[in-house]
Amino acid sequence: MLDGCTTWPADLAARYVRDGLWRGQDLGGLPRRWAERSGGKTALVHGETRLSYRELADRIDRTAAGFADRGIAPGDRVVVQLPNTPDFVIVVFALFRVGAKPVFSLASHRANEIRHLLSLSGAVAYVVPGVHRGFDHDALAALMLAEVPTLRQVFTTGDAGFTTLSEVDAEPQAPRSNDPSDVAFFLLSGGTTALPKLIPRTHDDYAYQTRAVAEVCGVTADDVYLAALPVEFNFTWGCPGVIGTFGVGGTVVLAADPGAEDSFRLVERERVTFTSLVPTVAHLWLEEREWSTADLSSLRFVQIGGARLQPGLAARIEPELGARLQQVFGMAEGLLSMTRADDDLDAVVHTQGHPISPADEIRIVDENDREVPAGVAGELLTRGPYTLRGYYRADEHNKRAFTADGFYRSGDLASLTAEGRLVIEGRLKDVVIRGGDKVSAGEVEGHLLAHPEVARAAVVPVPDEFLGERIYAFLVHRDDKPALPELKRALHERGLAEFKLPDRVEYVEAFPLTPLGKVDKKVLAAAAADPGLARDWAPVEPKEG
Ligand code: AMP
């Protein structure tokens, strides 16, 4: 396995192989196998573009040869930042083919995040979408080339400046194969630390995940999946998502964004049978449905996950969209738990179902790591055949994030029902889940503190009907109290992605403290949610602290 990654213990790995979970599959070899199986069938639809399985595999082979010609070698890390287009799929599989390791950046990432991802991964190349949604990624790439020593090449879907993707094209070479137990690509953590950590996903573990979810969901060659959320999300890419749908010979439709109007048009035009949404987007879809006349009758089921789904919203899905709801609890780190087609309505509305694999191991523990009984909330710990054993190049953090016997500490508060269904009750980790985006409180605080007038900063989630949560910043000022627009501008200039900017800011004289002297974020979160609560926390430290 790539240096800097943690392997599964040999006995467990052997068991996963023996039980037929890990089948020695190389993700880079899959498109050709799919083409042999489904040749002329439509694999991928985007706007007016329709690619058959054979055309897709051919494009991937040529692009892989083009990358190899340009010096991309096995083991190289390549940060990929592309929107929902066929280019994303082609580039990622072409990199798999040459044995390079794509690092999935979010399309919304800016200098701050990209610099970190390039440096942490030691990337030799960066793939960008030219100008996308008004942002000049080529200019950002030029900046990164000057700043990040390992970065040698930029590939762009734009039309000038760097090597364009259309130039990454050569006669296909004899296929090389990857070690299935090695890292295939990197997903990003939902951010409890200031900047995202890299999650190594192996060929075998991801091939298993996508196959297992497709089976749980009963997805077949007749299915048409709408990739409405960003394709670089684990949810969209592999739950079963793009890879799982290809795996059974179905069709993937890429939407530019999850907006309801365009998505409904695509559902009607392509006879989409399932999709995956975050609760915020599901809410938008329900609003649009009230007056839309689009024919959604092809939709069999809608997966909703990534953030807490309010039972009230959950109960509206089937009656209003005419498609079954599947609740999904998932994490890029691995573990996936979901409701099943034959679950009763109560379970579908109120729980996140069962893990997808019989080999998933779950423990719900108290603060002393002792297991708690059913119905009692505790931290969710997990390990299994597609759950990471360590973040990339993060030895110190890994000591805290995993138990001695390899269970991942999710930071989520959960309980199990008497039937063994998972219920997510809340979270221990210091993140705001804004719509589908995970924002580390610590990261935003760090940037706020860089402002000369900010002496102390504490970021908490505040409930929001539309986004689920918004970002609320409590600040202690020095001389002036910069208003929200000024703070946002300052953070923006520091290269922070838009979705991490605070939605509200409130100046206070001091922060409430826990008995141990830490900032009491529970008290702050309650205050953020209720402007009527007193803010009479006594200053115990000088402002300059
Ligand atoms: P990510 O790795 O970005 O997908 O984020 C994973 C985290 O999202 C989990 O650890 C949870 O905190 C949260 N999450 C995912 N699905 C759900 C869900 N169905 N309900 C509540 N929280 C969720």
Side-chain angles (χ1 to χ4, degrees):
M1 207 172 180
L2 186 72
D3 198 33
C5 298
T6 314
T7 50
W8 278 263
D11 55 335
L12 264 185
R15 193 195 309 163
Y16 296 152
V17 171
R18 196 179 58 231
D19 292 348
L21 312 183
W22 291 354
R23 296 184 182 168
Q25 273 177 329
D26 165 7
L27 296 181
L30 291 178
R32 200 32 72 199
R33 283 180 43 190
W34 296 332
E36 281 156 16
R37 177 205 59 199
S38 311
K41 173 139 196 244
T42 303
L44 193 58
V45 179
H46 175 252
E48 298 312 309
T49 305
R50 309 183 84 81
L51 294 177
S52 69
Y53 275 94
R54 194 171 304 113
E55 287 165 329
L56 182 65
D58 289 348
R59 292 272 301 271
I60 289 167
D61 285 350
R62 296 195 63 93
T63 307
F67 275 133
D69 273 3
R70 288 168 190 277
I72 302 295
D76 282 350
R77 273 80 65 202
V78 177
V79 172
V80 176
Q81 185 179 37
L82 292 173
N84 288 15
T85 53
D87 282 333
F88 183 98
V89 178
I90 292 164
V91 163
V92 167
F93 275 102
L95 291 170
F96 291 161
R97 274 292 307 269
V98 297
K101 326 277 183 201
V103 177
F104 283 19
S105 141
L106 307 188
S108 51
H109 279 160
R110 296 294 175 259
N112 176 60
E113 293 86 15
I114 298 296
R115 183 184 297 112
H116 165 75
L117 295 177
L118 290 167
S119 310
L120 178 60
S121 66
V124 300
Y126 175 29
V127 187
V128 295
V131 175
H132 177 64
R133 300 224 159 106
F135 183 80
D136 188 347
H137 291 264
D138 288 343
L140 173 60
L143 188 73
M144 294 298 118
L145 266 180
E147 284 187 22
V148 181
T150 55
L151 185 62
R152 295 196 310 257
Q153 292 192 73
V154 173
F155 300 97
T156 180
T157 60
D159 43 22
F162 300 107
T163 309
T164 64
L165 270 184
S166 49
E167 294 172 276
V168 183
D169 178 71
E171 278 308 306
Q173 297 167 355
R176 64 171 295 285
S177 50
N178 297 295
D179 174 353
S181 67
D182 199 1
V183 184
F185 66 111
F186 292 93
L187 290 170
L188 309 185
S189 74
T192 48
T193 45
L195 283 161
K197 295 174 297 297
L198 297 179
I199 300 166
R201 300 300 305 254
T202 66
H203 293 273
D204 253 344
D205 98 61
Y206 214 71
Y208 172 55
Q209 170 181 309
T210 54
R211 198 174 66 238
V213 195
E215 208 175 301
V216 161
C217 297
V219 172
T220 69
D222 295 331
D223 275 298
V224 179
Y225 172 63
L226 180 71
L229 294 174
V231 67
E232 67 272 19
F233 283 8
N234 179 45
F235 198 12
T236 325
W237 186 239
C239 301
V242 175
I243 297 198
T245 302
F246 287 155
V248 295
T251 298
V252 172
V253 179
L254 296 173
D257 68 61
E261 207 183 327
D262 289 347
S263 296
F264 284 6
R265 212 175 293 132
L266 285 172
V267 170
E268 182 174 297
R269 190 183 87 182
E270 302 297 335
R271 305 299 295 158
V272 168
T273 61
F274 78 107
T275 188
S276 42
L277 307 176
V278 291
T280 311
V281 171
H283 199 174
L284 286 176
W285 280 36
L286 289 178
E287 279 180 9
E288 174 82 8
R289 191 62 195 150
E290 282 172 22
W291 58 274
S292 159
T293 55
D295 176 8
L296 304 186
S297 60
S298 56
L299 265 185
R300 286 201 300 123
F301 67 102
V302 175
Q303 302 179 293
I304 303 185
R308 182 181 148 73
L309 178 63
Q310 300 291 342
L313 192 66
R316 291 175 56 195
I317 298 298
E318 181 149 359
E320 296 181 33
L321 292 181
R324 189 168 49 75
L325 164 69
Q326 179 179 48
Q327 280 218 53
V328 177
F329 166 80
M331 49 176 88
E333 281 80 358
L335 179 68
L336 293 172
S337 181
M338 41 185 82
T339 57
R340 307 298 207 265
D342 56 0
D343 279 342
D344 60 46
L345 188 65
D346 188 61
V348 172
V349 168
H350 292 103
T351 81
Q352 285 71 49
H354 292 282
I356 59 157
S357 169
D360 281 321
E361 296 176 76
I362 278 186
R363 280 191 201 150
I364 311 278
V365 301
D366 64 16
E367 57 276 11
N368 298 314
D369 278 355
R370 277 192 303 250
E371 281 193 56
V372 298
V376 176
E379 185 179 11
L380 167 66
L381 312 186
T382 185
R383 67 179 185 187
Y386 60 99
T387 296
L388 88 173
R389 304 292 292 212
Y391 292 101
Y392 184 53
R393 293 183 169 167
D395 288 348
E396 278 313 303
H397 182 78
N398 285 340
K399 285 180 195 152
R400 296 189 298 279
F402 295 84
T403 63
D405 50 357
F407 279 78
Y408 168 64
R409 297 182 189 276
S410 71
D412 288 307
L413 267 181
S415 65
L416 289 173
T417 66
E419 298 81 35
R421 290 194 178 89
L422 192 67
V423 178
I424 302 301
E425 312 263 6
R427 78 187 87 99
L428 298 163
K429 54 193 175 191
D430 201 8
V431 299
V432 180
I433 303 189
R434 188 183 188 280
D437 294 315
K438 314 291 175 337
V439 181
S440 146
E443 177 181 14
V444 183
E445 287 160 6
H447 287 279
L448 285 165
L449 282 170
H451 192 287
E453 295 300 341
V454 175
R456 304 193 65 196
V459 164
V460 293
V462 62
D464 179 79
E465 199 207 342
F466 178 60
L467 286 174
E469 292 175 3
R470 281 185 194 268
I471 304 171
Y472 198 106
F474 282 98
L475 302 178
V476 176
H477 73 289
R478 293 194 208 272
D479 297 324
D480 290 331
K481 294 181 180 172
L484 182 60
E486 145 73 11
L487 289 167
K488 280 189 169 182
R489 198 178 44 75
L491 264 52
H492 188 76
E493 273 169 16
R494 292 175 59 79
L496 198 65
E498 198 79 22
F499 67 87
K500 298 178 181 171
L501 303 181
D503 296 291
R504 288 281 308 276
V505 55
E506 178 179 341
Y507 286 94
V508 291
E509 285 303 307
F511 291 153
L513 299 179
T514 65
L516 292 175
K518 282 193 179 176
V519 175
D520 194 334
K521 289 212 164 172
K522 275 199 189 121
V523 172
L524 284 176
D530 183 355
L533 286 181
R535 269 90 163 130
D536 51 357
W537 309 308
V540 288
E541 296 153 88
K543 268 189 187 174
E544 297 303 309

